[in-house]
Amino acid sequence: MKKVKIKTLLFIVLVSTISCGQNKKENNMGNLDFKEKLYEIVENSTKYKKASLFLFDYSHSQVNIEVLVNDKLLSKSSIHNKQEQGYKFMNHLLSKKNKKQLVKLRITSLDKLSNFDKHNSYFSFNLSEMNRLEWSNDNFENQNYFIKYSNYGFKKDSKGELIRDLNGDVIRKDNLDNLNVFEKEFEFEAEMPFENEALQNSKDLREIDSTILEQKVLGQYHAFIKSVKNKDEDTYWEMYYNKVAYFAKANFFTEKDIDDLIKEGEMYYTMMSYQPIENYEMVFYDEGRLVCFESKSNDLEFKGKSPLIATAVNPNDPKDVFRNPIQFYFYMPKDSNELQIMY
Protein backbone atom coordinates (compact mmCIF):
# COMPACT_ATOMS: atom_id res chain seq x y z
CA MET A 1 0.00 0.00 0.00
CA LYS A 2 1.51 3.33 -1.08
CA LYS A 3 1.64 5.96 1.62
CA VAL A 4 0.48 9.50 0.98
CA LYS A 5 3.02 12.16 1.88
CA ILE A 6 1.58 15.23 3.60
CA LYS A 7 4.25 17.92 3.69
CA THR A 8 4.65 20.58 6.32
CA LEU A 9 4.17 23.29 3.74
CA LEU A 10 0.59 23.47 2.49
CA PHE A 11 -0.60 23.83 -1.13
CA ILE A 12 -4.16 24.55 -2.24
CA VAL A 13 -6.12 24.47 -5.47
CA LEU A 14 -5.15 28.07 -6.23
CA VAL A 15 -1.56 27.03 -6.88
CA SER A 16 -2.73 25.35 -10.07
CA THR A 17 -2.95 28.81 -11.61
CA ILE A 18 0.83 29.10 -11.32
CA SER A 19 2.71 27.58 -14.22
CA CYS A 20 3.83 24.06 -13.38
CA GLY A 21 6.33 24.03 -16.20
CA GLN A 22 8.39 26.92 -14.86
CA ASN A 23 12.13 26.51 -15.29
CA LYS A 24 14.28 27.68 -12.41
CA LYS A 25 15.87 30.27 -14.66
CA GLU A 26 12.48 31.67 -15.73
CA ASN A 27 10.93 33.57 -12.85
CA ASN A 28 7.55 35.24 -13.28
CA MET A 29 8.30 37.63 -10.48
CA GLY A 30 11.17 39.19 -8.59
CA ASN A 31 14.25 38.47 -6.73
CA LEU A 32 16.07 35.97 -8.81
CA ASP A 33 18.96 36.12 -6.31
CA PHE A 34 17.09 34.56 -3.39
CA LYS A 35 15.38 32.01 -5.62
CA GLU A 36 18.74 30.96 -7.03
CA LYS A 37 20.12 30.75 -3.48
CA LEU A 38 17.45 28.15 -2.76
CA TYR A 39 18.73 26.02 -5.64
CA GLU A 40 22.25 26.39 -4.23
CA ILE A 41 21.01 24.45 -1.19
CA VAL A 42 20.44 21.47 -3.48
CA GLU A 43 23.85 21.88 -5.11
CA ASN A 44 25.57 22.06 -1.72
CA SER A 45 23.66 19.05 -0.37
CA THR A 46 24.51 16.51 -3.07
CA LYS A 47 27.05 14.90 -0.75
CA TYR A 48 24.18 14.08 1.64
CA LYS A 49 22.19 11.98 -0.83
CA LYS A 50 22.52 8.93 1.42
CA ALA A 51 21.68 10.84 4.57
CA SER A 52 18.77 9.86 6.80
CA LEU A 53 15.49 11.69 6.89
CA PHE A 54 13.70 11.51 10.24
CA LEU A 55 9.93 11.58 10.09
CA PHE A 56 7.06 12.08 12.50
CA ASP A 57 3.71 10.69 11.36
CA TYR A 58 0.70 11.20 13.52
CA SER A 59 -3.03 10.89 13.98
CA HIS A 60 -5.13 12.48 16.73
CA SER A 61 -8.60 13.77 17.53
CA GLN A 62 -10.51 15.50 20.34
CA VAL A 63 -7.33 16.65 22.07
CA ASN A 64 -4.97 19.59 22.30
CA ILE A 65 -1.55 18.30 21.34
CA GLU A 66 1.94 19.79 21.53
CA VAL A 67 5.07 17.98 20.33
CA LEU A 68 8.54 19.34 21.04
CA VAL A 69 11.83 18.04 19.66
CA ASN A 70 14.83 19.28 21.64
CA ASP A 71 12.58 22.01 23.06
CA LYS A 72 11.70 23.26 19.56
CA LEU A 73 8.07 23.09 18.46
CA LEU A 74 7.29 20.40 15.90
CA SER A 75 3.51 20.43 16.10
CA LYS A 76 0.76 22.17 18.04
CA SER A 77 -2.93 21.81 17.31
CA SER A 78 -6.37 21.60 18.84
CA ILE A 79 -8.59 19.05 17.16
CA HIS A 80 -12.34 18.96 17.75
CA ASN A 81 -14.82 16.64 16.03
CA LYS A 82 -12.37 15.71 13.32
CA GLN A 83 -9.16 13.80 12.84
CA GLU A 84 -5.82 15.26 11.84
CA GLN A 85 -3.04 13.14 10.42
CA GLY A 86 0.06 13.47 8.30
CA TYR A 87 3.85 13.50 8.12
CA LYS A 88 6.28 16.12 9.37
CA PHE A 89 10.00 16.42 8.70
CA MET A 90 12.16 16.58 11.84
CA ASN A 91 15.78 17.02 10.75
CA HIS A 92 15.81 20.80 11.17
CA LEU A 93 15.08 20.32 14.89
CA LEU A 94 17.82 17.74 15.48
CA SER A 95 21.25 18.33 16.96
CA LYS A 96 24.62 17.08 15.75
CA LYS A 97 26.33 17.97 19.02
CA ASN A 98 23.98 15.83 21.08
CA LYS A 99 23.20 12.61 19.23
CA LYS A 100 20.48 11.79 21.76
CA GLN A 101 17.36 13.67 20.71
CA LEU A 102 14.45 14.33 23.07
CA VAL A 103 10.78 14.29 22.06
CA LYS A 104 8.22 15.68 24.52
CA LEU A 105 4.54 14.98 24.08
CA ARG A 106 1.93 17.05 25.92
CA ILE A 107 -1.77 16.23 25.51
CA THR A 108 -4.58 18.16 27.18
CA SER A 109 -8.35 17.90 27.01
CA LEU A 110 -10.04 20.44 24.76
CA ASP A 111 -11.23 22.75 27.51
CA LYS A 112 -8.29 21.88 29.84
CA LEU A 113 -10.76 21.49 32.72
CA SER A 114 -12.88 18.50 31.83
CA ASN A 115 -11.29 15.09 31.48
CA PHE A 116 -10.51 13.42 28.18
CA ASP A 117 -13.44 12.06 26.20
CA LYS A 118 -13.25 8.31 26.92
CA HIS A 119 -14.63 7.35 23.54
CA ASN A 120 -13.26 9.99 21.16
CA SER A 121 -10.00 11.40 22.53
CA TYR A 122 -7.02 9.63 21.01
CA PHE A 123 -3.53 10.17 19.68
CA SER A 124 -1.04 8.04 17.84
CA PHE A 125 2.36 8.73 16.33
CA ASN A 126 5.42 7.02 14.92
CA LEU A 127 9.01 8.11 14.57
CA SER A 128 10.90 6.65 11.65
CA GLU A 129 14.13 6.94 9.71
CA MET A 130 14.65 6.38 6.02
CA ASN A 131 17.02 7.29 3.22
CA ARG A 132 16.23 10.70 1.70
CA LEU A 133 16.33 9.36 -1.85
CA GLU A 134 13.91 6.57 -1.00
CA TRP A 135 11.47 9.13 0.40
CA SER A 136 11.77 11.19 -2.78
CA ASN A 137 11.09 8.07 -4.85
CA ASP A 138 8.10 7.00 -2.71
CA ASN A 139 9.97 3.88 -1.64
CA PHE A 140 8.92 3.06 1.93
CA GLU A 141 10.15 -0.53 2.04
CA ASN A 142 13.17 0.38 4.16
CA GLN A 143 11.40 2.82 6.46
CA ASN A 144 12.69 2.03 9.95
CA TYR A 145 10.17 2.69 12.74
CA PHE A 146 12.07 3.10 15.99
CA ILE A 147 9.23 4.52 18.12
CA LYS A 148 5.55 3.59 17.86
CA TYR A 149 3.16 5.07 20.34
CA SER A 150 -0.60 5.22 20.76
CA ASN A 151 -3.37 5.18 23.31
CA TYR A 152 -5.41 2.79 21.14
CA GLY A 153 -3.82 -0.37 22.40
CA PHE A 154 -4.83 -3.38 24.44
CA LYS A 155 -8.32 -3.34 23.02
CA LYS A 156 -9.94 -6.74 22.97
CA ASP A 157 -12.25 -8.28 20.44
CA SER A 158 -15.48 -10.12 21.25
CA LYS A 159 -13.49 -13.26 22.09
CA GLY A 160 -11.23 -11.43 24.53
CA GLU A 161 -8.24 -11.53 22.19
CA LEU A 162 -5.91 -8.56 22.02
CA ILE A 163 -6.31 -6.47 18.89
CA ARG A 164 -3.01 -5.98 17.09
CA ASP A 165 -1.82 -3.54 14.43
CA LEU A 166 -0.94 -4.43 10.86
CA ASN A 167 2.54 -5.53 11.94
CA GLY A 168 1.13 -7.88 14.58
CA ASP A 169 2.21 -5.65 17.46
CA VAL A 170 0.02 -4.97 20.47
CA ILE A 171 0.01 -1.19 20.71
CA ARG A 172 0.76 0.15 24.14
CA LYS A 173 -2.04 2.00 25.93
CA ASP A 174 -1.79 4.63 28.64
CA ASN A 175 -4.81 4.97 30.82
CA LEU A 176 -6.37 8.41 30.28
CA ASP A 177 -9.28 7.81 32.61
CA ASN A 178 -9.93 10.73 34.99
CA LEU A 179 -7.14 12.79 33.39
CA ASN A 180 -7.17 16.10 31.53
CA VAL A 181 -3.40 16.32 31.00
CA PHE A 182 -1.01 13.67 29.73
CA GLU A 183 2.74 14.13 29.25
CA LYS A 184 5.44 11.76 28.10
CA GLU A 185 9.06 11.90 26.91
CA PHE A 186 10.90 9.77 24.38
CA GLU A 187 14.61 9.66 23.62
CA PHE A 188 16.25 8.44 20.44
CA GLU A 189 19.60 8.68 18.71
CA ALA A 190 20.06 10.47 15.40
CA GLU A 191 23.16 11.67 13.61
CA MET A 192 23.11 14.94 11.70
CA PRO A 193 25.97 15.84 9.33
CA PHE A 194 25.97 19.49 10.46
CA GLU A 195 24.85 21.71 13.33
CA ASN A 196 22.62 24.77 13.29
CA GLU A 197 25.50 27.10 14.09
CA ALA A 198 23.45 30.30 13.91
CA LEU A 199 21.05 29.07 16.57
CA GLN A 200 23.86 27.70 18.73
CA ASN A 201 25.51 31.13 18.72
CA SER A 202 22.43 33.16 19.61
CA LYS A 203 21.12 34.98 22.67
CA ASP A 204 18.70 33.85 25.34
CA LEU A 205 15.83 36.14 24.34
CA ARG A 206 14.18 35.78 27.73
CA GLU A 207 16.87 38.12 29.09
CA ILE A 208 15.70 41.00 26.86
CA ASP A 209 13.06 43.42 28.12
CA SER A 210 9.77 41.78 27.12
CA THR A 211 8.16 45.02 25.88
CA ILE A 212 11.12 45.80 23.62
CA LEU A 213 11.30 42.23 22.35
CA GLU A 214 7.58 42.10 21.64
CA GLN A 215 7.85 45.21 19.48
CA LYS A 216 10.77 43.70 17.57
CA VAL A 217 8.81 40.51 16.91
CA LEU A 218 5.72 42.47 15.89
CA GLY A 219 7.86 44.53 13.56
CA GLN A 220 9.04 41.38 11.78
CA TYR A 221 5.49 40.12 11.21
CA HIS A 222 4.44 43.56 9.98
CA ALA A 223 7.43 43.72 7.62
CA PHE A 224 6.25 40.52 5.97
CA ILE A 225 2.67 41.80 5.58
CA LYS A 226 3.93 45.16 4.29
CA SER A 227 6.18 43.48 1.70
CA VAL A 228 3.14 41.75 0.19
CA LYS A 229 0.85 44.77 0.41
CA ASN A 230 3.42 47.11 -1.17
CA LYS A 231 4.66 44.56 -3.71
CA ASP A 232 8.17 44.80 -2.26
CA GLU A 233 9.59 41.67 -3.84
CA ASP A 234 13.11 42.13 -2.47
CA THR A 235 11.98 42.21 1.17
CA TYR A 236 9.44 39.42 0.66
CA TRP A 237 11.85 36.98 -0.98
CA GLU A 238 14.59 37.70 1.53
CA MET A 239 12.21 36.91 4.40
CA TYR A 240 10.79 33.87 2.63
CA TYR A 241 14.28 32.56 1.87
CA ASN A 242 15.35 32.94 5.51
CA LYS A 243 12.20 31.12 6.63
CA VAL A 244 12.72 28.04 4.47
CA ALA A 245 16.50 27.87 3.90
CA TYR A 246 17.61 25.90 6.97
CA PHE A 247 14.50 23.73 6.85
CA ALA A 248 15.33 22.83 3.24
CA LYS A 249 19.01 22.27 3.98
CA ALA A 250 18.47 20.08 7.05
CA ASN A 251 15.84 17.96 5.32
CA PHE A 252 17.98 17.55 2.19
CA PHE A 253 15.52 19.05 -0.27
CA THR A 254 15.75 18.03 -3.90
CA GLU A 255 15.41 20.39 -6.85
CA LYS A 256 11.77 19.36 -7.20
CA ASP A 257 11.21 20.23 -3.53
CA ILE A 258 12.77 23.65 -4.13
CA ASP A 259 10.54 24.13 -7.18
CA ASP A 260 7.55 23.50 -4.91
CA LEU A 261 8.88 25.95 -2.30
CA ILE A 262 9.22 28.69 -4.91
CA LYS A 263 5.72 28.04 -6.28
CA GLU A 264 4.40 28.22 -2.76
CA GLY A 265 6.30 31.45 -2.15
CA GLU A 266 4.78 32.93 -5.30
CA MET A 267 1.34 31.82 -4.20
CA TYR A 268 1.62 33.49 -0.79
CA TYR A 269 2.95 36.65 -2.43
CA THR A 270 0.56 37.03 -5.36
CA MET A 271 -2.68 35.42 -4.16
CA MET A 272 -2.93 36.01 -0.43
CA SER A 273 -4.03 38.80 1.87
CA TYR A 274 -3.07 38.91 5.54
CA GLN A 275 -5.17 39.70 8.56
CA PRO A 276 -3.95 42.11 11.27
CA ILE A 277 -1.77 40.60 14.00
CA GLU A 278 -3.88 40.46 17.14
CA ASN A 279 -4.89 38.33 20.14
CA TYR A 280 -1.49 36.68 20.53
CA GLU A 281 1.05 35.77 23.17
CA MET A 282 4.84 35.73 22.92
CA VAL A 283 6.26 32.22 23.29
CA PHE A 284 9.86 31.01 23.67
CA TYR A 285 11.44 27.75 22.55
CA ASP A 286 14.88 26.13 22.63
CA GLU A 287 15.78 27.47 26.07
CA GLY A 288 14.88 31.00 25.04
CA ARG A 289 16.84 31.09 21.79
CA LEU A 290 13.70 31.13 19.62
CA VAL A 291 10.67 33.38 19.93
CA CYS A 292 7.37 33.65 18.08
CA PHE A 293 3.79 34.81 18.49
CA GLU A 294 1.02 32.25 18.98
CA SER A 295 -2.69 32.92 18.68
CA LYS A 296 -4.98 32.90 21.72
CA SER A 297 -8.03 32.56 19.47
CA ASN A 298 -11.02 30.58 20.74
CA ASP A 299 -11.23 28.99 17.31
CA LEU A 300 -9.61 25.59 17.88
CA GLU A 301 -8.43 25.45 14.28
CA PHE A 302 -6.13 28.42 14.88
CA LYS A 303 -5.50 28.39 18.64
CA GLY A 304 -1.80 28.05 19.35
CA LYS A 305 -0.89 28.66 15.72
CA SER A 306 0.61 31.80 14.24
CA PRO A 307 -1.61 34.93 14.36
CA LEU A 308 -0.32 35.74 10.85
CA ILE A 309 -3.12 34.30 8.69
CA ALA A 310 -2.85 34.03 4.91
CA THR A 311 -6.30 34.33 3.34
CA ALA A 312 -7.62 33.70 -0.17
CA VAL A 313 -11.05 33.26 -1.68
CA ASN A 314 -11.69 30.51 -4.19
CA PRO A 315 -12.52 32.38 -7.43
CA ASN A 316 -14.99 29.63 -8.33
CA ASP A 317 -16.77 29.69 -4.97
CA PRO A 318 -16.79 32.90 -2.87
CA LYS A 319 -17.92 30.92 0.17
CA ASP A 320 -14.79 28.78 0.00
CA VAL A 321 -12.22 30.81 1.97
CA PHE A 322 -8.72 29.46 2.50
CA ARG A 323 -7.00 30.49 5.72
CA ASN A 324 -3.59 29.21 6.73
CA PRO A 325 -1.30 30.39 9.57
CA ILE A 326 2.21 31.39 8.48
CA GLN A 327 4.65 31.06 11.36
CA PHE A 328 8.07 32.62 11.83
CA TYR A 329 10.59 31.69 14.52
CA PHE A 330 13.14 34.39 15.32
CA TYR A 331 16.57 34.37 16.95
CA MET A 332 19.13 37.05 17.76
CA PRO A 333 22.85 36.55 17.05
CA LYS A 334 25.12 37.20 20.03
CA ASP A 335 26.78 40.12 18.23
CA SER A 336 23.50 41.82 17.23
CA ASN A 337 20.47 43.51 18.75
CA GLU A 338 18.19 42.69 15.84
CA LEU A 339 16.06 39.62 15.29
CA GLN A 340 16.73 37.23 12.43
CA ILE A 341 14.42 34.58 10.96
CA MET A 342 15.46 31.01 11.75
CA TYR A 343 12.53 29.21 10.03
Side-chain angles (χ1 to χ4, degrees):
M1 177 178 170
K2 184 177 178 180
K3 297 187 179 181
V4 177
K5 293 188 285 189
I6 302 177
K7 293 187 177 181
T8 305
L9 300 172
L10 179 64
F11 290 88
I12 60 171
V13 175
L14 289 173
V15 80
S16 64
T17 63
I18 296 174
S19 173
C20 295
Q22 179 183 349
N23 183 280
K24 74 175 182 177
K25 297 294 184 181
E26 299 173 356
N27 293 283
N28 296 328
M29 51 175 295
N31 217 309
L32 178 66
D33 291 342
F34 282 106
K35 293 181 180 181
E36 288 302 308
K37 284 182 69 174
L38 283 172
Y39 287 106
E40 289 175 7
I41 292 174
V42 178
E43 295 168 5
N44 295 331
S45 299
T46 53
K47 58 184 175 180
Y48 303 128
K49 284 185 177 180
K50 296 183 179 180
S52 291
L53 185 65
F54 290 87
L55 301 167
F56 174 88
D57 66 90
Y58 60 94
S59 176
H60 50 86
S61 181
Q62 291 277 49
V63 295
N64 299 311
I65 185 165
E66 182 176 23
V67 182
L68 299 170
V69 179
N70 297 328
D71 199 37
K72 305 177 189 74
L73 186 65
L74 175 66
S75 177
K76 178 184 283 190
S77 60
S78 300
I79 302 300
H80 179 64
N81 287 334
K82 68 176 182 178
Q83 176 182 342
E84 179 172 292
Q85 59 185 348
Y87 275 92
K88 289 185 181 293
F89 292 158
M90 295 174 55
N91 285 39
H92 59 294
L93 306 181
L94 302 182
S95 170
K96 177 184 178 182
K97 182 178 180 181
N98 300 313
K99 291 184 179 180
K100 289 188 176 181
Q101 320 292 335
L102 182 64
V103 176
K104 293 184 179 180
L105 177 73
R106 188 169 192 270
I107 310 286
T108 60
S109 58
L110 288 177
D111 62 9
K112 297 185 179 180
L113 296 174
S114 302
N115 293 335
F116 290 110
D117 186 316
K118 291 184 178 181
H119 302 290
N120 298 309
S121 294
Y122 70 84
F123 55 91
S124 173
F125 74 88
N126 302 313
L127 298 182
S128 62
E129 176 185 7
M130 66 183 301
N131 178 269
R132 184 62 173 90
L133 285 179
E134 292 182 337
W135 166 268
S136 299
N137 295 327
D138 293 325
N139 180 9
F140 293 89
E141 291 182 1
N142 296 320
Q143 187 172 5
N144 173 38
Y145 287 96
F146 52 88
I147 292 179
K148 289 185 174 184
Y149 193 77
S150 175
N151 74 323
Y152 296 145
F154 294 114
K155 292 184 178 179
K156 296 183 180 181
D157 60 22
S158 59
K159 297 180 180 179
E161 298 291 333
L162 291 173
I163 299 175
R164 300 173 182 270
D165 64 19
L166 295 176
N167 297 317
D169 299 323
V170 178
I171 304 174
R172 177 176 176 175
K173 177 181 188 258
D174 280 288
N175 190 350
L176 301 182
D177 292 349
N178 302 317
L179 294 178
N180 60 6
V181 178
F182 176 83
E183 297 179 337
K184 201 169 186 69
E185 294 185 358
F186 305 85
E187 196 175 76
F188 68 96
E189 291 191 4
E191 292 191 13
M192 283 292 291
F194 45 78
E195 188 67 81
N196 190 335
E197 299 292 345
L199 194 54
Q200 289 293 318
N201 297 309
S202 63
K203 296 179 181 179
D204 183 344
L205 298 168
R206 297 171 298 186
E207 297 176 357
I208 299 175
D209 180 271
S210 60
T211 301
I212 294 175
L213 182 61
E214 180 180 352
Q215 289 306 306
K216 287 181 179 291
V217 176
L218 188 61
Q220 291 280 342
Y221 284 105
H222 282 163
F224 180 82
I225 296 174
K226 186 177 179 181
S227 72
V228 176
K229 183 177 180 180
N230 294 344
K231 299 303 177 185
D232 180 356
E233 296 177 5
D234 290 341
T235 298
Y236 175 86
W237 281 102
E238 181 177 5
M239 295 187 76
Y240 184 78
Y241 171 84
N242 290 333
K243 173 176 170 54
V244 301
Y246 187 74
F247 180 90
K249 175 185 176 181
N251 292 292
F252 314 116
F253 269 30
T254 65
E255 185 167 319
K256 181 182 182 301
D257 295 324
I258 298 300
D259 286 339
D260 290 342
L261 278 182
I262 290 176
K263 289 173 185 175
E264 182 188 59
E266 291 180 340
M267 180 182 72
Y268 281 114
Y269 182 82
T270 61
M271 300 180 179
M272 300 293 169
S273 60
Y274 295 87
Q275 301 174 11
I277 305 297
E278 58 188 10
N279 195 22
Y280 61 82
E281 60 181 339
M282 190 162 61
V283 181
F284 298 94
Y285 293 105
D286 197 17
E287 299 178 336
R289 289 183 291 193
L290 290 172
V291 66
C292 68
F293 285 167
E294 293 182 354
S295 174
K296 297 193 295 183
S297 170
N298 292 324
D299 186 337
L300 293 181
E301 184 177 356
F302 297 101
K303 187 175 184 179
K305 304 292 183 63
S306 171
L308 176 62
I309 308 293
T311 304
V313 178
N314 187 336
N316 299 318
D317 182 2
K319 295 182 180 180
D320 181 13
V321 180
F322 168 83
R323 295 191 300 165
N324 189 50
I326 307 297
Q327 187 58 288
F328 287 94
Y329 296 91
F330 304 100
Y331 74 103
M332 185 178 290
K334 289 183 178 179
D335 60 354
S336 173
N337 290 319
E338 298 303 322
L339 293 173
Q340 303 289 330
I341 299 169
M342 177 50 62
Y343 35 71

